[in-house]
Amino acid sequence: GQQVMQIPQYQHVQEGEDFTTYCNSSTTLSNIQWYKQRPGGHPVFLIQLVKSGEVKKQKRLTFQFGEAKKNSSLHITATQTTDVGTYFCAASNYQLIWGAGTKLIIKP
Amino acid sequence: DSGVTQTPKHLITATGQRVTLRCSPRSGDLSVYWYQQSLDQGLQFLIQYYNGEERAKGNILERFSAQQFPDLHSELNLSSLELGDSALYFCASSVGGDRGKAFFGQGTRLTVV
């Protein structure tokens, strides 16, 4: 069945460094959604991208949808402790297909 | 508060037993999704209901079943429980059938001992 590959599985950063997670699909997607799950919490919707080449920003977060609508990325500039958690992409064709998530860990 | 209510929050039960998890979706949402999340793992899609009908099926074991009632609340039944079924079970709801953003409940943490 359709799969969405999300990498990396973990990313350790120093506070203030940037963070990026990528999602890739072998098929064209209708849209892609991004969610954040804080430790001990539930996934919370961040954004949905629909158009080819779309770029959306939310403060320090930048979301991109590829031109071919087969890949997407989430980039966080200058990470803060509040950014800690797992970021999931969820691709939609007929149903939501979830990536495995990227865990953002801030080094002490 | 997402508007999705799951009960109970925690459940401890013995192997071989049967439990029922309950989910009330956000007002107006027709779709309900069930997910399983084992410790530090990703979200495993189990099943989706849309307006009372099964819409999509994921990696749901035969020992598990679900239904959505006319008032749109949903129940997930887990039977013949095994230690490996210990996990966080999330319910999510969305307005539409396949493309709307999903709102998650707080989850039910199931521990099988």
Side-chain angles (χ1 to χ4, degrees), chain A residues 85-101:
Chain A
T86 301
Y87 293 83
F88 293 97
C89 63
S92 173
N93 269 348
Y94 231 98
Q95 56 177 286
L96 282 181
I97 309 294
W98 291 80

Side-chain angles (χ1 to χ4, degrees), chain A residues 13-18 78-83 105-108:
Chain A
V13 300
Q14 298 275 7
E15 189 172 2
E17 290 182 340
D18 292 356
T79 54
Q80 300 175 358
T81 54
T82 52
D83 297 324
I105 299 163
I106 298 206
K107 299 175 191 175

Side-chain angles (χ1 to χ4, degrees), chain A residues 35-54:
Chain A
Y35 293 77
K36 175 184 178 182
Q37 184 177 23
R38 292 180 188 275
H42 60 278
V44 174
F45 176 83
L46 293 176
I47 207 159
Q48 177 171 283
L49 304 174
V50 178
K51 298 177 186 173
S52 167
E54 190 168 14

Side-chain angles (χ1 to χ4, degrees), chain A residues 42 44, chain B residues 1-6 24 26 103-106:
Chain A
H42 60 278
V44 174
Chain B
D1 181 13
S2 66
V4 178
T5 304
Q6 286 187 252
S24 293
R26 288 191 325 151
F103 294 85
F104 281 75
Q106 302 285 340

